[in-house]
Amino acid sequence: MENITMSRRTVSQLAYVELATPDLQKSRDFFVNVLGLTEIAQTGDGIFLRAWGDFLPYSLQLVEGPVPEARRIGWRADSAEDLEHVVEVLKADGREGEWTGENIGRGRAYQFRSPGGHGHEIFWDIKQLAVPEELRSTYPNRRQKFSPVGVAARTIDHVTFGTDDVLRDVLWFRDKLNFRYMEYTALDESPETVFFGMVSSTEQAHNLGIMQNATDVRGAVHHVAYWVDQEIDVYRAADVLIEAGFPVEFGPGKHGMGENTFLYVREPSGFRIELFSGGYRNYMPDWEPVGWTPSRGSLDAFRNRSVPDSINELFPGGRAGAIDHNGTAEQSPFAIPGIS
Ligand SMILES: [Fe+2]
């Protein structure tokens, strides 16, 4: 029985994102009244919001800051031992972080930075918070009832960030935190230039997207995505957002990568939020990453629409852009050649 190794996940799920916004009240009102999240607490650490289907107490921590930015990505370890294991792995990798105390229900967490400068924290202990009486579900498997407000986002889904070296970060999350490397996109004219990679710690096609940032801004994030129950709900969300005064930046459409239905919108501070549904679930432990190019439909599966230049903006600064082997920055890497 020696030499038997077990492969298992280390990170169980994306738990929450800490989002800074210059106008806390306006952003709070967007997430509550338009996206349909529920405010569960306001403390000196910010405003804590949950989607009705989140299994954890909250998925968004809104704080005030001078510019819109995702300051920290919160992950739950797969066990108490996995949390300790991650801390050891980070120390061995020279990425020593620090422990932080409890935060409304979440036990202590270890804060660290991944190679591209992004802030993360990982925890195990979590206490559920009481959902207000009037929001409790009559179903035993739901903490909160489906009582739709606006878009009625069901749960947090994934985060996509921009970094100076996509493959370095993809392989770091694979090798250090046991994510699977699922899919990637390379430039049509330069197949060795990978500018987008998807990694996953779950059955999702990704719960972390990694995109090339053509600038030297470190730690920038492209978007935070929330799941809606049905693909048709992405189209319903477009109606709700437009009528509420929040133009859709791109979509609704379907990504080739992951096969998900999507749209992108900006919350009041300008930070990009994605609404997302559909796609596949993948349990293959020996999955080999699948390669795309824009012309094969990586971002737009139907391959028939232009991509707005605004989609390249990152927060708190920077631009998505692929740098090919000649050192040329391609400023709209997702655009399909010939469609403008
Ligand atoms: Fe996304």
PDB file of all heavy atoms in Angstrom, residues 166-167 181 184-196 212 292-294 321-330 333:
ATOM      1  N   VAL A 166       0.536  35.167 -17.822  1.00  0.00           N
ATOM      2  CA  VAL A 166      -0.625  34.289 -17.664  1.00  0.00           C
ATOM      3  C   VAL A 166      -0.211  32.862 -17.321  1.00  0.00           C
ATOM      4  O   VAL A 166      -0.705  32.261 -16.362  1.00  0.00           O
ATOM      5  CB  VAL A 166      -1.488  34.305 -18.948  1.00  0.00           C
ATOM      6  CG1 VAL A 166      -2.551  33.211 -18.918  1.00  0.00           C
ATOM      7  CG2 VAL A 166      -2.140  35.667 -19.129  1.00  0.00           C
ATOM      8  N   LEU A 167       0.719  32.309 -18.093  1.00  0.00           N
ATOM      9  CA  LEU A 167       1.073  30.902 -17.860  1.00  0.00           C
ATOM     10  C   LEU A 167       1.755  30.696 -16.511  1.00  0.00           C
ATOM     11  O   LEU A 167       1.521  29.698 -15.847  1.00  0.00           O
ATOM     12  CB  LEU A 167       1.976  30.394 -18.991  1.00  0.00           C
ATOM     13  CG  LEU A 167       1.206  29.892 -20.209  1.00  0.00           C
ATOM     14  CD1 LEU A 167       2.171  29.437 -21.302  1.00  0.00           C
ATOM     15  CD2 LEU A 167       0.249  28.756 -19.843  1.00  0.00           C
ATOM     16  N   TYR A 181      -6.070  23.019 -14.678  1.00  0.00           N
ATOM     17  CA  TYR A 181      -5.918  23.952 -15.806  1.00  0.00           C
ATOM     18  C   TYR A 181      -6.893  23.477 -16.883  1.00  0.00           C
ATOM     19  O   TYR A 181      -6.719  22.400 -17.444  1.00  0.00           O
ATOM     20  CB  TYR A 181      -4.459  23.903 -16.278  1.00  0.00           C
ATOM     21  CG  TYR A 181      -4.086  24.814 -17.428  1.00  0.00           C
ATOM     22  CD1 TYR A 181      -4.897  25.876 -17.820  1.00  0.00           C
ATOM     23  CD2 TYR A 181      -2.887  24.611 -18.107  1.00  0.00           C
ATOM     24  CE1 TYR A 181      -4.523  26.707 -18.875  1.00  0.00           C
ATOM     25  CE2 TYR A 181      -2.506  25.436 -19.163  1.00  0.00           C
ATOM     26  CZ  TYR A 181      -3.336  26.475 -19.543  1.00  0.00           C
ATOM     27  OH  TYR A 181      -2.968  27.278 -20.589  1.00  0.00           O
ATOM     28  N   TYR A 184      -7.617  27.523 -22.445  1.00  0.00           N
ATOM     29  CA  TYR A 184      -6.843  28.751 -22.645  1.00  0.00           C
ATOM     30  C   TYR A 184      -7.118  29.305 -24.040  1.00  0.00           C
ATOM     31  O   TYR A 184      -7.633  28.602 -24.910  1.00  0.00           O
ATOM     32  CB  TYR A 184      -5.342  28.500 -22.454  1.00  0.00           C
ATOM     33  CG  TYR A 184      -4.730  27.549 -23.451  1.00  0.00           C
ATOM     34  CD1 TYR A 184      -4.205  28.004 -24.655  1.00  0.00           C
ATOM     35  CD2 TYR A 184      -4.672  26.183 -23.189  1.00  0.00           C
ATOM     36  CE1 TYR A 184      -3.642  27.128 -25.575  1.00  0.00           C
ATOM     37  CE2 TYR A 184      -4.121  25.307 -24.103  1.00  0.00           C
ATOM     38  CZ  TYR A 184      -3.609  25.784 -25.289  1.00  0.00           C
ATOM     39  OH  TYR A 184      -3.064  24.909 -26.205  1.00  0.00           O
ATOM     40  N   THR A 185      -6.779  30.575 -24.221  1.00  0.00           N
ATOM     41  CA  THR A 185      -6.896  31.213 -25.533  1.00  0.00           C
ATOM     42  C   THR A 185      -5.551  31.817 -25.908  1.00  0.00           C
ATOM     43  O   THR A 185      -4.915  32.483 -25.084  1.00  0.00           O
ATOM     44  CB  THR A 185      -7.978  32.306 -25.536  1.00  0.00           C
ATOM     45  OG1 THR A 185      -9.228  31.714 -25.176  1.00  0.00           O
ATOM     46  CG2 THR A 185      -8.133  32.930 -26.918  1.00  0.00           C
ATOM     47  N   ALA A 186      -5.149  31.578 -27.153  1.00  0.00           N
ATOM     48  CA  ALA A 186      -3.920  32.154 -27.711  1.00  0.00           C
ATOM     49  C   ALA A 186      -4.296  33.020 -28.906  1.00  0.00           C
ATOM     50  O   ALA A 186      -5.385  32.880 -29.471  1.00  0.00           O
ATOM     51  CB  ALA A 186      -2.972  31.037 -28.142  1.00  0.00           C
ATOM     52  N   LEU A 187      -3.407  33.904 -29.286  1.00  0.00           N
ATOM     53  CA  LEU A 187      -3.661  34.761 -30.445  1.00  0.00           C
ATOM     54  C   LEU A 187      -3.750  33.918 -31.722  1.00  0.00           C
ATOM     55  O   LEU A 187      -2.974  32.975 -31.899  1.00  0.00           O
ATOM     56  CB  LEU A 187      -2.527  35.781 -30.606  1.00  0.00           C
ATOM     57  CG  LEU A 187      -2.395  36.868 -29.547  1.00  0.00           C
ATOM     58  CD1 LEU A 187      -1.192  37.752 -29.853  1.00  0.00           C
ATOM     59  CD2 LEU A 187      -3.676  37.706 -29.462  1.00  0.00           C
ATOM     60  N   ASP A 188      -4.674  34.292 -32.610  1.00  0.00           N
ATOM     61  CA  ASP A 188      -4.794  33.592 -33.889  1.00  0.00           C
ATOM     62  C   ASP A 188      -3.477  33.592 -34.655  1.00  0.00           C
ATOM     63  O   ASP A 188      -3.044  32.571 -35.205  1.00  0.00           O
ATOM     64  CB  ASP A 188      -5.869  34.254 -34.757  1.00  0.00           C
ATOM     65  CG  ASP A 188      -7.249  33.745 -34.398  1.00  0.00           C
ATOM     66  OD1 ASP A 188      -7.560  32.593 -34.732  1.00  0.00           O
ATOM     67  OD2 ASP A 188      -8.001  34.503 -33.752  1.00  0.00           O
ATOM     68  N   GLU A 189      -2.843  34.771 -34.683  1.00  0.00           N
ATOM     69  CA  GLU A 189      -1.657  34.913 -35.515  1.00  0.00           C
ATOM     70  C   GLU A 189      -0.382  34.507 -34.775  1.00  0.00           C
ATOM     71  O   GLU A 189       0.706  34.563 -35.328  1.00  0.00           O
ATOM     72  CB  GLU A 189      -1.545  36.357 -36.050  1.00  0.00           C
ATOM     73  CG  GLU A 189      -1.488  37.442 -34.995  1.00  0.00           C
ATOM     74  CD  GLU A 189      -2.851  37.833 -34.415  1.00  0.00           C
ATOM     75  OE1 GLU A 189      -3.846  37.131 -34.616  1.00  0.00           O
ATOM     76  OE2 GLU A 189      -2.888  38.855 -33.719  1.00  0.00           O
ATOM     77  N   SER A 190      -0.511  34.124 -33.517  1.00  0.00           N
ATOM     78  CA  SER A 190       0.658  33.795 -32.713  1.00  0.00           C
ATOM     79  C   SER A 190       0.246  32.745 -31.688  1.00  0.00           C
ATOM     80  O   SER A 190       0.056  33.029 -30.515  1.00  0.00           O
ATOM     81  CB  SER A 190       1.170  35.076 -32.032  1.00  0.00           C
ATOM     82  OG  SER A 190       2.193  34.794 -31.134  1.00  0.00           O
ATOM     83  N   PRO A 191       0.085  31.489 -32.149  1.00  0.00           N
ATOM     84  CA  PRO A 191      -0.518  30.440 -31.321  1.00  0.00           C
ATOM     85  C   PRO A 191       0.241  30.152 -30.018  1.00  0.00           C
ATOM     86  O   PRO A 191      -0.306  29.542 -29.102  1.00  0.00           O
ATOM     87  CB  PRO A 191      -0.527  29.206 -32.224  1.00  0.00           C
ATOM     88  CG  PRO A 191      -0.278  29.705 -33.598  1.00  0.00           C
ATOM     89  CD  PRO A 191       0.440  31.010 -33.486  1.00  0.00           C
ATOM     90  N   GLU A 192       1.502  30.592 -29.967  1.00  0.00           N
ATOM     91  CA  GLU A 192       2.253  30.350 -28.721  1.00  0.00           C
ATOM     92  C   GLU A 192       1.997  31.444 -27.683  1.00  0.00           C
ATOM     93  O   GLU A 192       2.444  31.332 -26.532  1.00  0.00           O
ATOM     94  CB  GLU A 192       3.759  30.216 -29.010  1.00  0.00           C
ATOM     95  CG  GLU A 192       4.465  31.493 -29.384  1.00  0.00           C
ATOM     96  CD  GLU A 192       4.284  31.883 -30.862  1.00  0.00           C
ATOM     97  OE1 GLU A 192       3.405  31.326 -31.555  1.00  0.00           O
ATOM     98  OE2 GLU A 192       5.026  32.760 -31.310  1.00  0.00           O
ATOM     99  N   THR A 193       1.260  32.504 -28.076  1.00  0.00           N
ATOM    100  CA  THR A 193       0.999  33.592 -27.137  1.00  0.00           C
ATOM    101  C   THR A 193      -0.332  33.361 -26.421  1.00  0.00           C
ATOM    102  O   THR A 193      -1.404  33.692 -26.922  1.00  0.00           O
ATOM    103  CB  THR A 193       0.977  34.951 -27.874  1.00  0.00           C
ATOM    104  OG1 THR A 193       2.201  35.093 -28.600  1.00  0.00           O
ATOM    105  CG2 THR A 193       0.829  36.100 -26.893  1.00  0.00           C
ATOM    106  N   VAL A 194      -0.246  32.730 -25.253  1.00  0.00           N
ATOM    107  CA  VAL A 194      -1.441  32.471 -24.450  1.00  0.00           C
ATOM    108  C   VAL A 194      -1.769  33.733 -23.665  1.00  0.00           C
ATOM    109  O   VAL A 194      -0.949  34.207 -22.881  1.00  0.00           O
ATOM    110  CB  VAL A 194      -1.206  31.284 -23.498  1.00  0.00           C
ATOM    111  CG1 VAL A 194      -2.364  31.123 -22.528  1.00  0.00           C
ATOM    112  CG2 VAL A 194      -0.993  30.012 -24.295  1.00  0.00           C
ATOM    113  N   PHE A 195      -2.956  34.307 -23.906  1.00  0.00           N
ATOM    114  CA  PHE A 195      -3.284  35.542 -23.188  1.00  0.00           C
ATOM    115  C   PHE A 195      -4.445  35.373 -22.221  1.00  0.00           C
ATOM    116  O   PHE A 195      -4.812  36.298 -21.512  1.00  0.00           O
ATOM    117  CB  PHE A 195      -3.559  36.700 -24.165  1.00  0.00           C
ATOM    118  CG  PHE A 195      -4.808  36.540 -24.994  1.00  0.00           C
ATOM    119  CD1 PHE A 195      -6.033  36.964 -24.499  1.00  0.00           C
ATOM    120  CD2 PHE A 195      -4.750  35.973 -26.246  1.00  0.00           C
ATOM    121  CE1 PHE A 195      -7.184  36.829 -25.252  1.00  0.00           C
ATOM    122  CE2 PHE A 195      -5.903  35.828 -27.006  1.00  0.00           C
ATOM    123  CZ  PHE A 195      -7.119  36.254 -26.512  1.00  0.00           C
ATOM    124  N   PHE A 196      -5.026  34.179 -22.183  1.00  0.00           N
ATOM    125  CA  PHE A 196      -6.107  33.948 -21.225  1.00  0.00           C
ATOM    126  C   PHE A 196      -6.101  32.483 -20.826  1.00  0.00           C
ATOM    127  O   PHE A 196      -6.006  31.598 -21.672  1.00  0.00           O
ATOM    128  CB  PHE A 196      -7.465  34.320 -21.842  1.00  0.00           C
ATOM    129  CG  PHE A 196      -8.600  34.261 -20.857  1.00  0.00           C
ATOM    130  CD1 PHE A 196      -8.820  35.324 -19.995  1.00  0.00           C
ATOM    131  CD2 PHE A 196      -9.422  33.148 -20.765  1.00  0.00           C
ATOM    132  CE1 PHE A 196      -9.839  35.263 -19.053  1.00  0.00           C
ATOM    133  CE2 PHE A 196     -10.447  33.099 -19.827  1.00  0.00           C
ATOM    134  CZ  PHE A 196     -10.659  34.166 -18.982  1.00  0.00           C
ATOM    135  N   GLN A 212      -3.968  38.343 -19.701  1.00  0.00           N
ATOM    136  CA  GLN A 212      -2.733  39.118 -19.842  1.00  0.00           C
ATOM    137  C   GLN A 212      -3.017  40.606 -19.636  1.00  0.00           C
ATOM    138  O   GLN A 212      -3.885  41.176 -20.293  1.00  0.00           O
ATOM    139  CB  GLN A 212      -2.145  38.910 -21.239  1.00  0.00           C
ATOM    140  CG  GLN A 212      -0.826  39.620 -21.466  1.00  0.00           C
ATOM    141  CD  GLN A 212       0.322  38.973 -20.707  1.00  0.00           C
ATOM    142  OE1 GLN A 212       0.426  37.750 -20.680  1.00  0.00           O
ATOM    143  NE2 GLN A 212       1.177  39.770 -20.093  1.00  0.00           N
ATOM    144  N   TRP A 292      -7.871  27.516 -27.441  1.00  0.00           N
ATOM    145  CA  TRP A 292      -8.741  28.287 -28.327  1.00  0.00           C
ATOM    146  C   TRP A 292      -7.935  29.416 -28.957  1.00  0.00           C
ATOM    147  O   TRP A 292      -6.878  29.797 -28.452  1.00  0.00           O
ATOM    148  CB  TRP A 292      -9.862  28.957 -27.534  1.00  0.00           C
ATOM    149  CG  TRP A 292     -10.877  28.050 -26.945  1.00  0.00           C
ATOM    150  CD1 TRP A 292     -10.758  27.342 -25.782  1.00  0.00           C
ATOM    151  CD2 TRP A 292     -12.168  27.752 -27.470  1.00  0.00           C
ATOM    152  NE1 TRP A 292     -11.906  26.632 -25.554  1.00  0.00           N
ATOM    153  CE2 TRP A 292     -12.792  26.865 -26.581  1.00  0.00           C
ATOM    154  CE3 TRP A 292     -12.863  28.154 -28.618  1.00  0.00           C
ATOM    155  CZ2 TRP A 292     -14.077  26.380 -26.789  1.00  0.00           C
ATOM    156  CZ3 TRP A 292     -14.146  27.667 -28.817  1.00  0.00           C
ATOM    157  CH2 TRP A 292     -14.746  26.779 -27.921  1.00  0.00           C
ATOM    158  N   THR A 293      -8.531  29.996 -30.016  1.00  0.00           N
ATOM    159  CA  THR A 293      -8.122  31.320 -30.481  1.00  0.00           C
ATOM    160  C   THR A 293      -9.405  32.133 -30.592  1.00  0.00           C
ATOM    161  O   THR A 293     -10.498  31.559 -30.634  1.00  0.00           O
ATOM    162  CB  THR A 293      -7.435  31.257 -31.868  1.00  0.00           C
ATOM    163  OG1 THR A 293      -8.369  30.690 -32.798  1.00  0.00           O
ATOM    164  CG2 THR A 293      -6.161  30.445 -31.830  1.00  0.00           C
ATOM    165  N   PRO A 294      -9.307  33.467 -30.638  1.00  0.00           N
ATOM    166  CA  PRO A 294     -10.525  34.275 -30.778  1.00  0.00           C
ATOM    167  C   PRO A 294     -11.371  33.859 -31.979  1.00  0.00           C
ATOM    168  O   PRO A 294     -12.602  33.801 -31.888  1.00  0.00           O
ATOM    169  CB  PRO A 294      -9.991  35.704 -30.923  1.00  0.00           C
ATOM    170  CG  PRO A 294      -8.693  35.679 -30.165  1.00  0.00           C
ATOM    171  CD  PRO A 294      -8.114  34.321 -30.434  1.00  0.00           C
ATOM    172  N   GLY A 321      -4.177  42.912 -22.826  1.00  0.00           N
ATOM    173  CA  GLY A 321      -3.477  42.985 -24.104  1.00  0.00           C
ATOM    174  C   GLY A 321      -2.482  41.841 -24.151  1.00  0.00           C
ATOM    175  O   GLY A 321      -1.861  41.517 -23.143  1.00  0.00           O
ATOM    176  N   ALA A 322      -2.369  41.216 -25.294  1.00  0.00           N
ATOM    177  CA  ALA A 322      -1.453  40.083 -25.407  1.00  0.00           C
ATOM    178  C   ALA A 322      -0.156  40.561 -26.027  1.00  0.00           C
ATOM    179  O   ALA A 322      -0.165  41.328 -26.980  1.00  0.00           O
ATOM    180  CB  ALA A 322      -2.079  39.002 -26.269  1.00  0.00           C
ATOM    181  N   ILE A 323       0.937  40.118 -25.462  1.00  0.00           N
ATOM    182  CA  ILE A 323       2.237  40.528 -25.980  1.00  0.00           C
ATOM    183  C   ILE A 323       2.815  39.341 -26.749  1.00  0.00           C
ATOM    184  O   ILE A 323       3.106  38.303 -26.173  1.00  0.00           O
ATOM    185  CB  ILE A 323       3.146  40.978 -24.826  1.00  0.00           C
ATOM    186  CG1 ILE A 323       2.517  42.204 -24.157  1.00  0.00           C
ATOM    187  CG2 ILE A 323       4.541  41.305 -25.347  1.00  0.00           C
ATOM    188  CD1 ILE A 323       2.969  42.450 -22.759  1.00  0.00           C
ATOM    189  N   ASP A 324       2.921  39.471 -28.072  1.00  0.00           N
ATOM    190  CA  ASP A 324       3.358  38.332 -28.881  1.00  0.00           C
ATOM    191  C   ASP A 324       4.881  38.189 -28.844  1.00  0.00           C
ATOM    192  O   ASP A 324       5.580  38.946 -28.180  1.00  0.00           O
ATOM    193  CB  ASP A 324       2.806  38.425 -30.311  1.00  0.00           C
ATOM    194  CG  ASP A 324       3.450  39.551 -31.111  1.00  0.00           C
ATOM    195  OD1 ASP A 324       4.471  40.096 -30.677  1.00  0.00           O
ATOM    196  OD2 ASP A 324       2.903  39.894 -32.170  1.00  0.00           O
ATOM    197  N   HIS A 325       5.379  37.213 -29.569  1.00  0.00           N
ATOM    198  CA  HIS A 325       6.810  36.895 -29.494  1.00  0.00           C
ATOM    199  C   HIS A 325       7.680  38.016 -30.051  1.00  0.00           C
ATOM    200  O   HIS A 325       8.866  38.040 -29.823  1.00  0.00           O
ATOM    201  CB  HIS A 325       7.087  35.579 -30.217  1.00  0.00           C
ATOM    202  CG  HIS A 325       6.658  35.575 -31.642  1.00  0.00           C
ATOM    203  ND1 HIS A 325       5.318  35.500 -32.001  1.00  0.00           N
ATOM    204  CD2 HIS A 325       7.344  35.651 -32.785  1.00  0.00           C
ATOM    205  CE1 HIS A 325       5.229  35.531 -33.317  1.00  0.00           C
ATOM    206  NE2 HIS A 325       6.436  35.619 -33.815  1.00  0.00           N
ATOM    207  N   ASN A 326       7.076  38.955 -30.819  1.00  0.00           N
ATOM    208  CA  ASN A 326       7.849  40.114 -31.281  1.00  0.00           C
ATOM    209  C   ASN A 326       7.831  41.249 -30.270  1.00  0.00           C
ATOM    210  O   ASN A 326       8.375  42.319 -30.522  1.00  0.00           O
ATOM    211  CB  ASN A 326       7.275  40.638 -32.604  1.00  0.00           C
ATOM    212  CG  ASN A 326       7.363  39.598 -33.698  1.00  0.00           C
ATOM    213  OD1 ASN A 326       8.389  38.923 -33.803  1.00  0.00           O
ATOM    214  ND2 ASN A 326       6.312  39.445 -34.476  1.00  0.00           N
ATOM    215  N   GLY A 327       7.149  41.017 -29.127  1.00  0.00           N
ATOM    216  CA  GLY A 327       7.061  42.058 -28.113  1.00  0.00           C
ATOM    217  C   GLY A 327       6.004  43.098 -28.426  1.00  0.00           C
ATOM    218  O   GLY A 327       5.987  44.181 -27.850  1.00  0.00           O
ATOM    219  N   THR A 328       5.082  42.770 -29.342  1.00  0.00           N
ATOM    220  CA  THR A 328       4.043  43.714 -29.729  1.00  0.00           C
ATOM    221  C   THR A 328       2.814  43.521 -28.855  1.00  0.00           C
ATOM    222  O   THR A 328       2.294  42.413 -28.757  1.00  0.00           O
ATOM    223  CB  THR A 328       3.646  43.464 -31.205  1.00  0.00           C
ATOM    224  OG1 THR A 328       4.826  43.355 -31.971  1.00  0.00           O
ATOM    225  CG2 THR A 328       2.769  44.579 -31.730  1.00  0.00           C
ATOM    226  N   ALA A 329       2.351  44.596 -28.241  1.00  0.00           N
ATOM    227  CA  ALA A 329       1.134  44.491 -27.421  1.00  0.00           C
ATOM    228  C   ALA A 329      -0.081  44.562 -28.330  1.00  0.00           C
ATOM    229  O   ALA A 329      -0.226  45.481 -29.127  1.00  0.00           O
ATOM    230  CB  ALA A 329       1.094  45.609 -26.396  1.00  0.00           C
ATOM    231  N   GLU A 330      -0.924  43.581 -28.237  1.00  0.00           N
ATOM    232  CA  GLU A 330      -2.173  43.534 -28.999  1.00  0.00           C
ATOM    233  C   GLU A 330      -3.259  44.043 -28.060  1.00  0.00           C
ATOM    234  O   GLU A 330      -3.559  43.447 -27.065  1.00  0.00           O
ATOM    235  CB  GLU A 330      -2.421  42.087 -29.442  1.00  0.00           C
ATOM    236  CG  GLU A 330      -3.828  41.774 -29.853  1.00  0.00           C
ATOM    237  CD  GLU A 330      -4.286  42.599 -31.033  1.00  0.00           C
ATOM    238  OE1 GLU A 330      -3.645  42.517 -32.082  1.00  0.00           O
ATOM    239  OE2 GLU A 330      -5.282  43.329 -30.880  1.00  0.00           O
ATOM    240  N   PRO A 333      -7.129  41.753 -27.540  1.00  0.00           N
ATOM    241  CA  PRO A 333      -6.791  40.364 -27.848  1.00  0.00           C
ATOM    242  C   PRO A 333      -8.008  39.481 -28.102  1.00  0.00           C
ATOM    243  O   PRO A 333      -7.894  38.456 -28.764  1.00  0.00           O
ATOM    244  CB  PRO A 333      -6.030  39.906 -26.611  1.00  0.00           C
ATOM    245  CG  PRO A 333      -6.463  40.824 -25.523  1.00  0.00           C
ATOM    246  CD  PRO A 333      -6.744  42.129 -26.181  1.00  0.00           C
TER     247      PRO A 333
END
